[in-house]
Amino acid sequence: MTSTPVIKPNSKPGHTKKRSSWASFDAIDRRWIYLLVFVSLAVPTWFRWQLPPAQMKTSDAFYQAIEQLPAQSNKLALVAADWGPSTQAENKPQTEVAIEHLMRRRIPFALVSLIPYAQPFLENVPKEIAAKLKKELPGEEWHYGKDWVNFGYQPNALASIQGIAKAGLLSEFWKTDVAGTPYSDIPCLKEVKTIKDILMLIEITGSIGTFNFWIQFFRSDDYRPPFVHGCTSITIPEAHIYLASKQLVGLLEGAAGAAWYEKLLTDHYPGRELGTAIRTNTTLAVAHLLIILLIVIGNIATFVRGAST
Amino acid sequence: MSRFTKQLLIAAFTFVSGLYFFLEYLLPTEFTPPWTSTPIKFGKYHIEISRGMQVIGVMAIGLGLANIVRAHGSRLVNLRAGWINSFALLSAMIITFAVEVGTIVNNENILKEREILSVLPTYLDRIEAERINPPENVLFSPTKKLEFVADRLREAEARSRSLDSVLSTRRSPDSRSALEFAEALNESLIGTEQLMLRYSGPAAEDPSAAAEALKGSLKRTTGIAAELVALNQQQLTAQRLSHLIYTGFFSPLGSAMFALLAFYIANAAYRSFRARSAEASIMMLTALIVMLGQIPFGPLYIHESLPTLRLYLLETINTPAFRAIYFGSAIAGLAMAVRIWFSLERSPLSTEDS
């Protein structure tokens, strides 16, 4: 027995309704999207693609802020690496370029963090940068205690920030460094007594809460050090508020900001070995492009489906 | 104690604590009230009070731990659905806790060792002062005290030899540093011992100069010994396990959790980012400009002014809008903070009737 084709009203006889190819894009299995994202991240990473980064004027301002710091002033910069493993993809390159710039300019710095998971990064990042610089500049050396000091995790963020800012003597607040060396035995801290001896605060974080604490409380009655900030891409819009009000003098906007900063360092120091910032930025850029493409395809599919019905 | 009394006590404590922090922020660091000429430093004990808050916070962590053990422990004991996950959580928690306690104990011991080493040069000053002005009742003679110093240095040397053998057995990359430190320590120790003999010998010509030379040598030796103590610290079992747990499990898992977001966001952006209205279209166009202005492809292959346009959107359009949102949420937060301060919010002890 032959089956009679169902003829729907307003349809041509002899034709059954076929799903359009654009409509099928709308119903695509999510696993194909996951696969495309995986490929878009894996291929540039594997082949180490590097593209020149987009110019970031906020990174230019960050660079100039460190360039204008006086070297050999017996004071130091404070680097607050308030990030952990979850945001290390963006925050670690930012910390690396900032610390490298400070080391090249011979500006001593102290490392702290309000996040307990940052401890291994506080130990390893400056050592890696010092080793890299020593390889590039064989006659020069950078030593712990002389060029940098690590004070480690500071519990109770609010109390710690206020304690540093209001301490009559920093040696009373930071009695020892993270390894137990007394404050007075650390060479780069000989002339550092109060917050007024801190040239600049460099705060790198993936969360907005810790950044707000520093903005609000890291000041004394008559002194506030220049403040530069490195953030993840998700918090860029919020960080711009503080840039506009001049509470920040420089900003590293995610991986793109770190990549542009790395380009500035490479332009200024030609023998420099490239780090991970530009490669990470290129990988992310390919993924961004994929997402833009998916959004465009999705909208075309919706438009075509809407037009056909 | 009645429920009302408990609520009153909590409200009173909350009010006083809030009042302290409010006044500490508001009042100048030091001020002189009109009824007295003595200046008052209101925040004199602020650091101690803040540390007290940390102690209370630690108790909250303990409470959280107790709840985790209760919830997952009961699931494990009764073998309810998902007990294998509870087993994984509890065993990871117990192992990490044990390892970190071991790390803390080791760190305390290491700190004590470093403290002794750092105090030795100052101890020598005391020995020299007692040699110049011998006190009447002395428990230990200067010779005995010098022997104490020599014993600490010999302990440091023995530690360096055992560390060197441990590291070379493990074929650790640190073995070269340990060998260099051990050789430097050995060399410095020989010099220090010779100076010690010269200082303490019966025919010492200029004991003060010998004491100065000995102090300089001792500082060098104890500095190298302290570096070796730090190197040794990294080789202790608890420290190595802690390093393994962090770099082998916690760090990659934390990064992986965040990395998963990339896939979810891509899928969500594809499914839901549709230009169904004028506002949605404007939002999408703005997002595209910001994204293209941030990645290399924008200025390279589309238009070189995209980064400038992106910055304009962020500074001129986004900033006022975000400021408005921030002000609104800050005022709402202030209202909520005042309500909590005056205990106007529902208390955990309140019932339906109260």
Side-chain angles (χ1 to χ4, degrees):
Chain A
M1 189 166 76
T2 55
S3 59
T4 312
V6 174
I7 299 174
K8 289 189 179 163
N10 297 329
S11 73
K12 289 185 182 169
H15 287 264
T16 52
K17 193 166 167 67
K18 218 165 63 169
R19 190 191 236 178
S20 85
S21 52
W22 281 110
S24 65
F25 271 113
D26 238 357
I28 194 169
D29 193 326
R30 68 178 68 185
R31 287 172 289 185
W32 286 110
I33 296 172
Y34 295 163
L35 182 64
L36 284 171
V37 173
F38 175 75
V39 167
S40 73
L41 291 169
V43 167
T45 307
W46 182 264
F47 290 106
R48 297 183 162 226
W49 288 355
Q50 289 180 32
L51 286 172
Q55 186 186 12
M56 292 281 179
K57 289 196 174 137
T58 50
S59 300
D60 285 332
F62 193 123
Y63 187 92
Q64 285 309 317
I66 294 187
E67 272 293 301
Q68 282 163 15
L69 290 178
Q72 296 168 349
S73 64
N74 298 324
K75 298 186 181 188
L76 52 63
L78 183 64
V79 179
D82 300 325
W83 51 272
S86 50
T87 57
Q88 66 172 312
E90 286 191 290
N91 290 143
K92 191 174 176 205
Q94 292 172 342
T95 311
E96 285 171 347
V97 294
I99 284 177
E100 183 184 331
H101 197 183
L102 288 170
M103 281 185 168
R104 284 183 186 275
R105 292 216 56 231
R106 292 285 179 184
I107 294 167
F109 58 93
L111 283 157
V112 296
S113 180
L114 304 178
I115 310 286
Y117 315 122
Q119 191 86 321
F121 300 113
L122 296 180
E123 284 171 21
N124 296 331
V125 169
K127 281 184 194 167
E128 285 164 13
I129 301 292
K132 183 180 128 172
L133 288 176
K134 193 177 165 185
K135 203 170 137 188
E136 181 189 325
L137 305 161
E140 298 189 45
E141 291 198 351
W142 284 262
H143 294 288
Y144 179 84
K146 187 169 160 279
D147 296 288
W148 82 91
V149 62
N150 178 10
F151 288 114
Y153 165 58
Q154 310 292 305
N156 192 348
L158 195 51
S160 292
I161 294 170
Q162 288 182 303
I164 299 167
K166 292 180 179 177
L169 279 176
L170 283 171
S171 54
E172 283 170 14
F173 183 79
W174 285 317
K175 294 187 172 54
T176 66
D177 71 349
V178 74
T181 310
Y183 189 101
S184 54
D185 290 351
I186 301 170
C188 64
L189 299 175
K190 285 268 183 299
E191 305 292 327
V192 178
K193 310 275 184 232
T194 65
I195 186 177
K196 290 182 183 175
D197 299 315
I198 294 176
L199 290 168
M200 173 181 273
L201 171 64
I202 301 171
E203 206 258 344
I204 315 270
T205 186
S207 70
I208 203 71
T210 46
F211 163 61
N212 279 346
F213 282 154
W214 287 105
I215 284 268
Q216 286 179 67
F217 298 110
F218 192 65
R219 61 191 310 151
S220 65
D221 291 338
D222 55 354
Y223 178 74
R224 189 179 167 280
F227 189 177
V228 291
H229 177 51
C231 64
T232 52
S233 300
I234 199 84
T235 56
I236 290 172
E238 290 167 87
H240 265 272
I241 299 170
Y242 299 98
L243 201 62
S245 61
K246 306 274 187 285
Q247 285 164 297
L248 287 180
V249 298
L251 178 66
L252 288 180
E253 297 176 78
W260 182 253
Y261 204 100
E262 186 162 59
K263 185 194 172 300
L264 292 172
L265 282 173
T266 310
D267 290 346
H268 202 89
Y269 304 99
R272 182 185 175 273
E273 185 191 327
L274 275 181
T276 55
I278 290 181
R279 275 207 306 271
T280 307
N281 187 46
T282 307
T283 305
L284 284 177
V286 174
H288 276 55
L289 214 55
L290 172 71
I291 291 175
I292 291 171
L293 199 65
L294 287 172
I295 291 171
V296 167
I297 291 172
N299 275 279
I300 292 174
T302 307
F303 178 73
V304 164
R305 200 174 53 157
S308 64
T309 52
Chain B
M1 200 185 278
S2 68
R3 190 184 289 274
F4 174 72
T5 314
K6 281 181 192 170
Q7 283 181 345
L8 193 62
L9 208 60
I10 291 170
F13 191 75
T14 307
F15 180 74
V16 167
S17 309
L19 185 66
Y20 166 77
F21 283 101
F22 176 69
L23 289 175
E24 196 278 330
Y25 191 73
L26 199 68
L27 294 172
T29 315
E30 203 169 289
F31 66 98
T32 312
W35 58 84
T36 179
S37 58
T38 317
I40 294 175
K41 211 172 168 186
F42 190 81
K44 195 175 170 188
Y45 299 106
H46 187 66
I47 291 176
E48 285 80 5
I49 290 171
S50 300
R51 288 206 175 125
M53 296 289 130
Q54 285 180 34
V55 171
I56 294 171
V58 164
M59 288 200 297
I61 291 173
L63 194 64
L65 273 175
N67 275 332
I68 284 176
V69 169
R70 197 178 66 160
H72 289 275
S74 72
R75 187 183 296 174
L76 181 63
V77 162
N78 297 315
L79 293 177
R80 287 201 298 266
W83 67 268
I84 195 83
N85 299 323
S86 296
F87 173 73
L89 184 142
L90 287 173
S91 51
M93 192 176 82
I94 290 165
I95 291 169
T96 310
F97 187 77
V99 165
E100 293 305 319
V101 164
T103 309
I104 289 168
V105 167
N106 285 341
N107 285 344
E108 288 297 311
N109 292 336
I110 296 284
L111 267 174
K112 277 182 200 153
E113 283 180 42
R114 289 188 67 136
E115 215 174 333
I116 290 172
L117 287 170
S118 68
V119 149
L120 287 179
T122 323
Y123 193 49
L124 189 65
D125 286 337
R126 202 162 138 192
I127 296 171
E128 174 64 7
E130 282 180 11
R131 185 195 66 80
I132 295 169
N133 292 317
E136 285 181 15
N137 299 318
V138 165
L139 202 57
F140 299 109
S141 64
T143 315
K144 197 81 184 164
K145 284 174 179 161
L146 271 179
E147 274 177 25
F148 171 81
V149 171
D151 286 341
R152 298 289 80 74
L153 294 177
R154 275 185 219 114
E155 275 173 17
E157 200 210 354
R159 198 183 301 119
S160 81
R161 274 189 259 116
S162 81
L163 175 65
D164 182 42
S165 69
V166 161
L167 286 175
S168 45
T169 311
R170 285 181 190 156
R171 292 184 202 161
S172 163
D174 288 330
S175 63
R176 192 172 163 203
S177 309
L179 188 63
E180 284 168 6
F181 276 123
E183 283 170 0
L185 178 65
N186 195 37
E187 207 177 297
S188 188
L189 201 56
I190 292 170
T192 306
E193 281 175 346
Q194 283 172 354
L195 285 168
M196 235 182 244
L197 281 170
R198 200 198 303 174
Y199 172 67
S200 60
E205 284 178 9
D206 188 355
S208 300
E212 274 305 309
L214 177 59
K215 188 175 175 181
S217 178
L218 195 58
K219 265 191 177 164
R220 243 185 342 269
T221 310
T222 52
I224 299 169
E227 295 283 338
L228 267 167
V229 165
L231 205 58
N232 187 41
Q233 183 181 14
Q234 295 165 21
Q235 301 307 318
L236 297 169
T237 306
Q239 261 69 2
R240 293 178 75 216
L241 279 173
S242 175
H243 182 72
L244 174 68
I245 287 171
Y246 184 86
T247 54
F249 291 93
F250 184 77
S251 184
L253 283 172
S255 303
M257 287 295 294
F258 243 66
L260 284 175
L261 286 176
F263 297 90
Y264 293 138
I265 284 170
N267 185 47
Y270 176 69
R271 302 255 180 239
S272 57
F273 221 154
R274 298 282 188 263
R276 289 199 176 94
S277 63
E279 291 87 359
S281 306
I282 292 169
M283 193 175 76
M284 194 184 312
L285 184 64
T286 313
L288 283 175
I289 292 171
V290 170
M291 281 171 79
L292 287 170
Q294 192 164 321
I295 61 177
F297 298 107
L300 268 180
Y301 301 119
I302 301 173
H303 199 285
E304 60 186 11
S305 65
L306 273 169
T308 310
L309 189 55
R310 171 189 172 272
L311 198 59
Y312 172 82
L313 285 168
L314 281 171
E315 285 180 341
T316 312
I317 312 290
N318 164 80
T319 296
F322 243 100
R323 274 212 185 112
I325 293 167
Y326 250 51
F327 270 116
S329 65
I331 290 168
L334 180 64
M336 181 55 85
V338 169
R339 285 181 63 84
I340 293 170
W341 183 19
F342 288 111
S343 300
L344 297 172
E345 283 295 305
R346 188 185 164 93
S347 159
L349 291 177
S350 63
T351 59
E352 289 293 331
D353 301 329
S354 61

